Amino acid sequence: MKSTRPLVVALSVSLLSATSLLGAEPPKKSKAPTAPPAKATEEPKPAKAPEESKPAEAGSALPAVVAVVEGVEIKGPELEKTFVGFLASRQIPGDALPAPERARGYRMILEEMIKEKLVETRAAAVKVSEEEVNATFQKFTANLGPEAEVMKQIEASGQTVESIRENIRASLKQDHWLESEVDKAGGVADKEAEDFYKKNTEKFVSQAEVRASHILLRVPPEAKPEVVVEKEKAAQAIAARVKKGEDFAKLAKELSEDPSAKQNSGDLDFFKHDQMVPEFADVAFGMKTGEISDPVRSQFGYHVIKVTDRHESETMALEKVKPKLVAYLKVQKVEALKQEIRDKAEVKINLPEPPPEALPPAAPAPAAP
């Protein structure tokens, strides 16, 4: 069974707008399915009048009102909807969460909803153009497929195009207000960026990358020994032909059993070591540009590899990373501002304090000699 332990970590990470100083992209070669994009949720409407509600006991159902934020209520169903949506977006089965983990999750999500409510009130007068809403909506839906599929997903989430657009508008208002407040306070000075870079130089070391092509002859896991031997001999023959001067791309199109070879001639583009299975990566990263490998066995079969380019590991210059670094530091200031507003606000929470995380068992004392 999969552990639900990473939930709190996932919650913490997902609540920040920037997670990488270098803006690392997700692995290009991963075969694992990605989590569906998180669905936008409708903004809760301000309550007309606060309702009295007793704090919930640990493990009980959520109360009708989970928090009152400067006189505005956050209802239990709103928190539940947001929490369930978060779990669904990360394919975490809610029914598998232990009660303490669920309690911590509710509390962390609620804290973010409180901050959002506080900023929403302060950003109410900010103007957002229709052009910006349209552009953000198009960006939001760009990866969801054709328009018909997008509409199907929106309908399945219980929302409408208009409700999503209103969510986008509210989010943009908050973003603009927070950024303007940070800018009023001086933004991110050049010296701040330079000091952070000097103190954290190790964070700006790019990983080595290799660009390679391959010809794959598949070997099923249940293949009989004679089939394995046959495939290895065939791969050796292909490697010999390439080393004698035959065109690698042409042979990849003709002979590779990788389905994408017909389109890319076996080219895998640039990849980092941990983006490929170890057997393949170890060989590819040990080769020189232009070199052809002997057949390499992996879980997929036999590969004949040709390295076509390399990017060695290097410490990136400040000027190269400065735009992303400034954006990262600005996000930290935005988060600090939200926390400062939260600390000064009048907020009543009707959820119990979640149980502390269990500490790992202490190591046994060494035996006396």
Side-chain angles (χ1 to χ4, degrees), residues 26-38 88-91 143-144:
K28 299 175 184 175
K29 312 304 173 189
S30 173
K31 302 296 183 182
T34 55
S89 71
R90 283 149 184 82
Q91 298 181 320
N143 296 324
L144 300 183

Side-chain angles (χ1 to χ4, degrees), residues 37-40 135-144 154 164 168:
K39 303 291 191 295
T136 307
F137 179 81
Q138 289 172 6
K139 186 176 180 180
F140 170 75
T141 58
N143 296 324
L144 300 183
I154 290 174
I164 292 177
I168 289 171

Side-chain angles (χ1 to χ4, degrees), residues 181-189 192 330 333:
E181 291 298 305
V182 169
D183 288 341
K184 285 178 189 176
V188 177
E192 288 181 79
K330 193 167 188 177
K333 292 198 172 193

Side-chain angles (χ1 to χ4, degrees), residues 168-241:
I168 289 171
R169 188 185 306 280
S171 179
L172 289 172
K173 280 187 173 187
Q174 294 174 42
D175 289 346
H176 293 338
W177 184 83
L178 287 164
E179 289 175 8
S180 69
E181 291 298 305
V182 169
D183 288 341
K184 285 178 189 176
V188 177
D190 285 349
K191 190 172 187 313
E192 288 181 79
E194 292 167 7
D195 288 346
F196 187 95
Y197 178 85
K198 289 175 183 176
K199 293 176 182 177
N200 299 275
T201 307
E202 73 282 355
K203 296 182 185 294
F204 301 96
V205 177
S206 64
Q207 292 185 47
E209 291 184 315
V210 161
R211 183 168 191 167
S213 297
H214 79 144
I215 298 171
L216 171 65
L217 297 185
R218 291 189 175 277
V219 178
E222 69 281 1
K224 295 180 179 179
E226 56 267 29
V227 173
V228 175
V229 171
E230 181 183 340
K231 289 283 188 174
E232 183 179 14
K233 287 182 178 178
Q236 289 171 342
I238 292 171
R241 290 172 65 180

Side-chain angles (χ1 to χ4, degrees), residues 15 17 112 115-124 126 170-187 329-342:
L15 299 173
S17 300
E112 291 307 311
K115 292 176 187 176
E116 182 178 344
K117 186 66 67 178
L118 290 166
V119 175
E120 180 184 6
T121 302
R122 289 154 177 76
V126 174
S171 179
L172 289 172
K173 280 187 173 187
Q174 294 174 42
D175 289 346
H176 293 338
W177 184 83
L178 287 164
E179 289 175 8
S180 69
E181 291 298 305
V182 169
D183 288 341
K184 285 178 189 176
L329 293 176
K330 193 167 188 177
V331 167
Q332 306 312 302
K333 292 198 172 193
V334 164
E335 293 301 317
L337 174 59
K338 288 163 66 176
Q339 188 60 51
E340 180 183 348
I341 295 170
R342 166 68 178 94

